[in-house]
Amino acid sequence: MKQLMREYELFTKLLIVVLAALCLQAVIVSMFIYHHSKKSYIDYFDQSNAVSLKKIQHDFEMLNDKIENTLAQIDRNPAVEDYFTDALQHIAQQTDQLIAIQRMNESFNGISPTIDYDLMIFGENGRLFVGNDMIAAMTATDFFQLDLLKKVNATSASTQMVFVPFGLTTREKHSPSVFFIKKLTTSMNRTYGYGVIAVTSHQLAGLFNDIVDPTLVQIDFVNEDQQIFTSNDPSKIGAFSEDLALLAENETKMIEENKRTRLALYRQNSALISKVDLASLVNQMAIVLPIILYNVVTLLFAGFFVFIYLNRHTKSIYQLIHSLKGVKEDPKNAQIPVQGTHEIKLLGNTLNQLLTDLDWYYTESLQNEKKKRTLEIQAMQAQIQPHFMYNTLTSFKFLIWQQENEKAIQGIDRFTDLLRHTIGHKKEEISVEEELKNVENYLHILTLRYGETIPAKVVVPTELYSLYLPNMIIQPIVENAYLHAFQTKTKGFITIYGRISKHDLLFEVVDNGDGFDPTKTGSRTNTFSGIGISHVDERIRLMYGEDYGLSIQSLVGIGTTVTIRLPLISK
């Protein structure tokens, strides 16, 4: 995958840049849509919530009015006053009064279709009236001992609302409740009892439970003591609320990431506190997933068309690149197909012109290099041959000086034959058989000069005779051995071996002469003492490369081995 991306780097980078731009645009548009949708949704919800709060406020006021009217009818009923003030009445009178009170109770309309309540009348004479079939949880005497009456009596209002942690009946005994208490007074304005309508906090929450979503909006009714007396979160009932002090009447503001609103209630300093959880509200929008899906689908479609477009317009570039790879593999007569946009065509035509010019220069340079190489080889061979002839004629001179005329004649015959195959031979490469024949002629000449004290032997398998090697490369090495290997020793031998090693043709010229230390020669040129052997090495490397040439192994007092490494050439 990495290799493919590297090969199509331009296309990949363009695709990444375009897709990144599309993603950035999608993110920006999504954020814009999200924030505007969020603002619009919250504004719409605020309007709807404001209507709901007004309705809750109005319903509570209507509830208060109905409770007020009910308690006022109780206060104005003569039977109530007579029953709860006179303790010395006859049984018949008490019965008549209770019947009248019961009829009055039955005439009352419900204060709310969603709220159940308990109505009780407590008299100072110890009598108690229960407005339904529930059992009272306390007597009149117990009621008059409650601390809440101190608060009721301390105010001038005839009807008051009090939050208590208990109810009036055994059913609601442990339920937090709201008591609406009205003082019952005589014509002389003396309090003889109390009319009480008790509504549990849970029942009172029926005013708004069906109107607002408790997961989004928390509704708290808070009294003047900053105590929550009803809420759509039951765990909050009876708890202390700081919102009453933090908010002015009819004020809305953000507190702890919640939008809070305070509206006045009908009773004393009580208030309706609304807490809107904006985080839950925004989550309820359910707009994030549609936006993500929309962006994913849009990016897939856009990415597909971008891919097609970029592929179509970069295809000609990559065709040009692949064509250049073909030029690298086969530079001869290479031409690049010209197609694509105007710019690509112009580039293709220019490259084709350059390739044409390069091919011409390459051909010219190659021909010049071949000519130079041929001249260099010829120059080396021209240096080797005079050097060889000089040494050979010197040998004949010594033979004639020693009056060895017969040996000199034989040597001249061998020398003539040798010249016929060297100087007269125009080929750069000859067979192993021809090269060895020249070596044998040269060895005969050397034997005439040095005698039998340094015999030479050629050990080369006949299957190597058909292979080819450069002309006259073994003779200079044999000559070097005769001239330099036996300076202190007077006797020895020289052996020429031939073999094939893997894919190379090897010749080894081995002597048991004086030997030397190759590490002290200083350079490769000095290692190959003598002009002939040095030129042989350079000639082989020039013809076949640096993997071929001469190598020397020598030990002082033991002898020297010169190895000629050549490629296998069969013609």
Side-chain angles (χ1 to χ4, degrees), residues 154-172:
T155 60
S156 58
S158 61
T159 303
Q160 296 183 48
M161 181 183 71
V162 181
F163 173 70
V164 292
F166 54 85
L168 291 178
T169 63
T170 55
R171 182 186 63 183
E172 311 294 352

Side-chain angles (χ1 to χ4, degrees), residues 79 82-83 89 93-102 127:
D82 291 341
Y83 182 76
Q89 297 168 328
Q93 290 178 324
Q94 293 181 17
T95 302
D96 292 339
Q97 291 169 353
L98 280 174
I99 292 172
I101 293 172
Q102 185 61 38
R127 292 176 180 174

Side-chain angles (χ1 to χ4, degrees), residues 378-398:
Q378 290 175 354
M380 289 182 184
Q381 200 166 5
Q383 287 181 317
I384 292 173
Q385 290 171 349
H387 181 264
F388 158 71
M389 289 189 293
Y390 170 78
N391 290 335
T392 302
L393 292 175
T394 302
S395 299
F396 293 156
K397 175 183 176 183
F398 278 108

Side-chain angles (χ1 to χ4, degrees), residues 160-436:
Q160 296 183 48
M161 181 183 71
V162 181
F163 173 70
V164 292
F166 54 85
L168 291 178
T169 63
T170 55
R171 182 186 63 183
E172 311 294 352
K173 182 177 181 179
H174 301 292
S175 299
S177 304
V178 177
F179 289 177
F180 294 87
I181 304 175
K182 183 175 179 60
K183 300 175 186 178
L184 302 179
T185 59
T186 64
S187 58
M188 301 299 292
N189 203 27
R190 181 180 68 85
T191 303
Y192 64 86
Y194 297 91
V196 181
I197 293 180
V199 181
T200 64
S201 298
H202 176 72
Q203 288 289 328
L204 192 58
L207 291 173
F208 45 79
N209 278 338
D210 296 334
I211 298 176
V212 297
D213 184 354
T215 61
L216 300 179
V217 184
Q218 179 182 325
I219 300 294
D220 296 335
F221 281 8
V222 184
N223 61 20
E224 59 184 351
D225 296 327
Q226 301 190 48
Q227 195 173 21
I228 300 174
F229 60 86
T230 187
S231 173
N232 56 357
D233 183 358
S235 64
K236 299 288 186 177
I237 295 175
F240 180 80
S241 174
E242 297 179 351
D243 294 331
L244 196 65
L246 296 175
L247 295 169
E249 190 171 317
N250 297 323
E251 182 185 16
T252 299
K253 67 179 180 179
M254 290 291 299
I255 300 176
E256 296 179 353
E257 299 184 357
N258 291 326
K259 182 175 284 189
R260 309 194 184 195
T261 302
R262 173 181 172 179
L263 295 179
L265 292 178
Y266 187 66
R267 285 291 176 181
Q268 300 158 337
N269 293 324
S270 300
L272 183 159
I273 305 296
S274 167
K275 300 178 184 178
V276 179
D277 187 349
L278 293 182
S280 298
L281 179 63
V282 172
N283 289 337
Q284 195 186 56
M285 288 172 56
I287 194 174
V288 175
L289 183 59
I291 289 177
I292 293 175
L293 291 177
Y294 170 79
N295 285 331
V296 169
V297 173
T298 302
L299 287 175
L300 287 176
F301 275 101
F304 174 75
F305 287 112
V306 167
F307 180 87
I308 297 298
Y309 180 82
L310 289 178
N311 183 58
R312 179 179 299 174
H313 286 79
T314 57
K315 186 176 181 181
S316 56
I317 297 176
Y318 288 108
Q319 287 179 341
L320 180 64
I321 293 173
H322 292 314
S323 299
L324 290 175
K325 290 181 179 179
V327 170
K328 182 179 179 181
E329 295 173 359
D330 184 16
K332 289 187 176 182
N333 301 319
Q335 287 292 306
I336 296 172
V338 179
Q339 56 185 353
T341 61
H342 172 73
E343 295 85 353
I344 302 301
K345 290 180 179 178
L346 181 61
L347 181 60
N349 289 327
T350 303
L351 289 174
N352 282 333
Q353 184 62 43
L354 289 174
L355 288 172
T356 301
D357 295 341
L358 286 174
D359 182 63
W360 183 83
Y361 285 119
Y362 172 77
T363 303
E364 286 292 314
S365 300
L366 188 62
Q367 292 177 353
N368 292 335
E369 188 64 27
K370 286 182 178 179
K371 293 177 181 179
K372 178 181 177 182
R373 177 167 159 269
T374 301
L375 292 174
E376 288 178 351
I377 293 173
Q378 290 175 354
M380 289 182 184
Q381 200 166 5
Q383 287 181 317
I384 292 173
Q385 290 171 349
H387 181 264
F388 158 71
M389 289 189 293
Y390 170 78
N391 290 335
T392 302
L393 292 175
T394 302
S395 299
F396 293 156
K397 175 183 176 183
F398 278 108
L399 289 174
I400 296 172
W401 181 66
Q402 293 174 355
Q403 295 182 354
E404 297 285 346
N405 296 331
E406 185 64 28
K407 290 183 178 181
I409 293 171
Q410 293 177 6
I412 291 172
D413 290 337
R414 292 278 188 168
F415 182 60
T416 303
D417 189 41
L418 184 62
L419 291 179
R420 186 180 301 112
H421 287 87
T422 54
I423 298 176
H425 208 300
K426 301 300 182 182
K427 294 181 180 179
E428 188 174 331
E429 293 175 330
I430 61 174
S431 66
V432 172
E433 183 179 8
E434 291 179 274
E435 178 71 10
L436 293 180

